[in-house]
């Protein structure tokens, strides 16, 4: 069994053919797609966060709205860039969204990826301490965020408060019990995956990774997952961790699918991102029988307990629901995921 969700970047554009022409379109259609995915039997609705771009940015209003409109599906991010975040205010927002959804939030966070502007986090009022990098700052914000999610009091109460306080130091409110165990770290390297394990976070591994060995993408990603689990065990955590991978997978079951994605086989690609040599995983697009055989050879998908299907959100809710349904109906049973 494997949890299967979708991952949307939430692009919008007035370009010809786009069905998401504004930010409002993207937000409302994201809610509708989450509702449709739940009805189809999918397990998760996840959203990417980018700033200064025509894509989804502030995630918590969207997550809360989806939580109020659905009953079962997991709701998450993949990922929030922690360079931009006030960890205390974020903990309040996350607690609220998690309570609205009755504990279904699965919050993916990370150092983030290259953004649309230079050092965009500076416009949000953040800068690394002297001698530290923006990645260091992201990890510092993360460590504070994880501490306050524990629910332990840390703030000295006012002796003359407006309202009566409970005894002892105060914590942030609203607090959602159990959310701390549903935080994921988006990792592009073996080292950061191991750090995430030490911090007690679940692992999100995307469609790109630092090219550390020159091996195929899925092989390197599978090794990253195994190292993460080894580090988790060494850290002595009591619960079992979760691991997700993201993939672009399209079952070609009608002419629309063949028109959009039947372009032939694509392989891994190498590129430079933030001065890092990165390997980008291939997309999968084939008739269901062939698709199943190709996916069986993907070692990282086999290692993960959760698969996030990246969706082309500008093609509209109905088509993206069709993409998800095709995987659930034609691929998941043959792969033993259902």
């Amino acid at each position: 069994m494997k949890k299967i969700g979708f991952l949307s970047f939430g692009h919008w554009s007035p370009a010809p053919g786009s069905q998401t022409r504004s930010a409002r379109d993207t937000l409302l259609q994201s809610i509708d797609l989450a509702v449709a995915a739940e009805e189809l039997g999918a397990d998760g609705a996840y959203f990417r966060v980018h700033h200064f771009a025509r894509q989804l940015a502030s995630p918590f209003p969207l997550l809360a709205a989806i939580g109020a409109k659905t009953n079962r599906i997991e709701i998450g991010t993949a990922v929030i860039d922690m360079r931009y975040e006030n960890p205390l205010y974020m903990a309040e927002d996350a607690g609220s969204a998690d309570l609205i959804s009755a504990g279904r939030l699965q919050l993916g966070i990370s150092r983030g990826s290259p953004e649309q502007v230079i050092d965009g986090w500076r416009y949000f009022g953040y800068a690394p301490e002297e001698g530290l990098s923006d990645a260091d700052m992201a990890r510092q914000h993360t460590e504070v965020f994880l501490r306050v999610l524990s629910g332990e009091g840390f703030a000295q109460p006012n002796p003359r408060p407006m309202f009566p306080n409970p005894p002892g130091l105060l914590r942030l409110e609203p607090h959602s019990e159990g959310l701390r165990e549903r935080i994921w770290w988006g990792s592009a390297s073996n080292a950061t995956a191991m750090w995430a394990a030490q911090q007690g976070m679940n692992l999100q591994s995307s469609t790109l990774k630092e090219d550390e060995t020159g091996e195929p993408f899925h092989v390197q990603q599978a090794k990253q997952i195994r190292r993460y689990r080894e580090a988790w065990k060494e850290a002595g955590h009591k619960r079992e961790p979760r691991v997700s991978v993201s993939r672009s997978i399209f079952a070609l079951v009608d002419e629309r699918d063949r028109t959009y994605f039947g372009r032939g086989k694509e392989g891994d690609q190498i590129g430079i991102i933030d001065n890092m040599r990165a390997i980008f995983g291939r997309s999968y697009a084939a008739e269901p029988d062939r698709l199943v055989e190709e996916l069986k050879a993907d070692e990282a998908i086999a290692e993960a307990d959760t698969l996030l299907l990246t969706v082309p959100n500008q093609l509209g809710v109905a088509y993206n629901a069709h993409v998800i349904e095709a995987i659930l109906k034609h691929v998941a049973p043959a792969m033993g995921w259902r």
Side-chain angles (χ1 to χ4, degrees):
M1 299 294 291
K2 194 182 297 292
K3 289 185 179 292
I4 303 173
F6 73 84
L7 171 60
S8 173
F9 279 49
H11 297 279
W12 75 84
S13 167
S18 172
Q19 295 193 39
T20 52
R21 307 180 69 81
S22 68
R24 185 174 188 272
D25 288 344
T26 293
L27 289 164
L28 294 178
Q29 290 180 26
S30 295
I31 297 169
D32 290 344
L33 183 57
V35 171
E38 179 173 81
E39 292 173 350
L40 291 169
D43 302 298
Y46 287 74
F47 302 92
R48 187 69 167 88
V49 178
H50 279 120
H51 301 287
F52 299 103
R54 290 182 175 184
Q55 300 174 37
L56 293 170
S58 55
F60 292 107
L62 175 62
L63 297 174
I66 293 173
K69 294 276 285 186
T70 57
N71 299 296
R72 178 191 55 80
I73 199 168
E74 293 181 341
I75 307 162
T77 53
V79 291
I80 296 173
D81 188 334
M82 292 301 290
R83 296 174 295 182
Y84 287 76
E85 295 297 326
N86 177 319
L88 275 70
Y89 201 100
M90 181 178 171
E92 292 181 344
D93 280 347
S96 296
D98 196 46
L99 290 169
I100 289 170
S101 67
R104 289 182 282 132
L105 200 64
Q106 302 286 339
L107 205 60
I109 63 177
S110 187
R111 172 264 187 197
S113 61
E115 295 294 305
Q116 300 298 105
V117 299
I118 298 171
D119 295 348
W121 26 270
R122 293 187 184 276
Y123 295 99
F124 279 56
Y126 303 112
E129 298 174 11
E130 186 174 354
L132 299 181
S133 68
D134 60 316
D136 294 326
M137 179 176 66
R139 285 187 283 271
Q140 288 177 335
H141 287 182
T142 298
E143 288 166 356
V144 174
F145 178 63
L146 295 178
R147 283 200 300 272
V148 298
L149 283 183
S150 71
E152 296 295 324
F154 61 90
Q156 190 68 39
N158 186 341
R160 296 181 180 84
M162 181 177 295
F163 307 105
N165 282 322
L169 299 177
L170 301 183
R171 68 184 185 186
L172 291 176
E173 300 291 355
H175 172 69
S176 186
E177 194 70 34
L179 178 57
R180 170 63 179 83
E181 296 187 352
R182 287 178 273 115
I183 306 301
W184 306 59
W185 183 259
S187 176
S189 69
N190 292 345
T192 54
M194 294 168 68
W195 176 81
Q198 293 162 1
Q199 299 298 315
M201 290 185 283
N202 300 316
L203 177 67
Q204 288 182 337
S205 195
S206 186
T207 53
L208 70 88
K209 184 188 176 299
E210 183 179 359
D211 186 15
E212 300 183 67
T213 66
E215 296 171 291
F217 169 78
H218 73 99
V219 174
Q220 293 196 50
Q221 192 176 48
K223 289 184 176 180
Q224 178 198 45
I225 294 170
R226 288 192 284 269
R227 289 193 179 185
Y228 164 81
R229 289 200 171 110
E230 290 169 1
W232 182 277
K233 185 176 180 179
E234 291 172 1
H237 302 303
K238 295 180 181 179
R239 67 178 178 88
E240 285 296 315
R242 288 183 61 184
V243 175
S244 73
V245 296
S246 303
R247 291 289 187 275
S248 297
I249 305 174
F250 301 97
L252 306 182
V253 298
D254 63 23
E255 288 307 312
R256 292 176 303 169
D257 303 325
R258 296 181 185 93
T259 298
Y260 288 136
F261 302 107
R263 297 185 297 271
K265 193 172 182 179
E266 298 180 1
D268 295 344
Q269 296 181 355
I270 299 294
I272 302 297
I273 183 168
D274 267 7
N275 298 315
M276 176 185 75
R277 177 183 166 89
I279 183 167
F280 298 79
R282 56 165 294 192
S283 297
Y284 293 93
E287 282 69 24
D289 290 347
R290 198 179 96 193
L291 191 58
V292 167
E293 294 308 310
E294 292 178 357
L295 293 173
K296 285 180 179 178
D298 191 311
E299 294 183 19
I301 291 179
E303 288 282 347
D305 60 77
T306 302
L307 173 63
L308 301 182
L309 305 170
T310 60
V311 294
N313 74 282
Q314 289 188 87
L315 294 180
V317 173
Y319 182 72
N320 280 285
H322 159 77
V323 167
I324 296 167
E325 183 179 28
I327 299 300
L328 295 175
K329 181 178 179 180
H330 299 289
V331 176
M335 293 292 296
W337 301 340
R338 286 290 188 272

